Amino acid sequence: MRTLSAFNKFTNTLKEQDLIMPVLFIGHGSPMNGIEDNEFSQRWTKMAKEMPVPAAVLVISAHWFTKGTLITAMEFPQTIHDFGGFPKALYDVKYPAPGNPALAKETAALIHTAHVIPDHDWGLDHGTWTVVRHMYPDANIPVLQLSIDYTKPPQHHFNLAKELYSLRKKGVLIIGSGNMIHNLGMVAWDKINGPAYGYDWTLQLNEKFKQLILSSDYNQLINYDRLGKEGKLAIPTPEHYLPLLYTLGLKGSSDNPGIFNDKAVAGSLTMTSVKLCPA
């Protein structure tokens, strides 16, 4: 049973510190990654061990796509099973991490490009818990979600992320969770459980995305609608892609970009992920 003691020490305003937390974009892929011990989940576990323990985690998930910008502000967010057709074991998972209403309020106050609405109905969707439960299995670190406003253009999301930078100085790990290339309509289902496989356009665009990220050349990534036919195939809808822009918008002048879980899956999906951390 969850109690307030799990997060009482985080309820006061977080203080700035010398340490700047990394920021991540994680390709979360199938919900089954939430319970499977595979190369992706193993890397998430290892990633957490390579970083300082955060005071809290804030996730921008592809699966909370809203009109307006919302932030989870409840004490105990529910575990949301927002998918269908999977084994019962996946639906049985509960990730009982606490929330942090004080941090939600503080985060909302940092954002001036949007009016942020406190939310008490959502919780942690699978874009969040399938990843974070591997990173912090004890569920003793507060976890919040910030929604993605579907009425706003890509540049808005990139700019909004910049306003969150000070949270990195307060021990908050910020994660964008989606997939850079995500076209479920073209998935090669016969190869879903096989070795790495990507269509030619998937592999070509994945390489281009990595090149632009590693060189901190974000203009083409923000204006992804200008990437031609390959871009339309890779990003038929924006919800899985936009979390990447939040991660990139949080880049500081001393951050070095790194790539991990760089793999194409089932033709039209990539798990390619990004870590930004000070040199």
Side-chain angles (χ1 to χ4, degrees), residues 35-88:
I35 59 173
E36 290 181 346
D37 180 22
N38 58 33
E39 61 183 297
F40 307 123
S41 62
Q42 289 169 11
R43 186 67 186 96
W44 300 336
T45 299
K46 183 180 179 183
M47 180 73 68
K49 295 176 180 177
E50 295 170 351
M51 300 186 298
V53 177
V57 179
L58 175 65
V59 182
I60 298 93
S61 165
H63 297 281
W64 201 20
F65 213 43
T66 60
K67 184 176 182 180
T69 303
L70 288 72
I71 190 166
T72 54
M74 68 286 287
E75 293 178 346
F76 297 114
Q78 64 178 322
T79 303
I80 301 174
H81 301 88
D82 51 333
F83 41 73
F86 289 90
K88 182 178 181 297

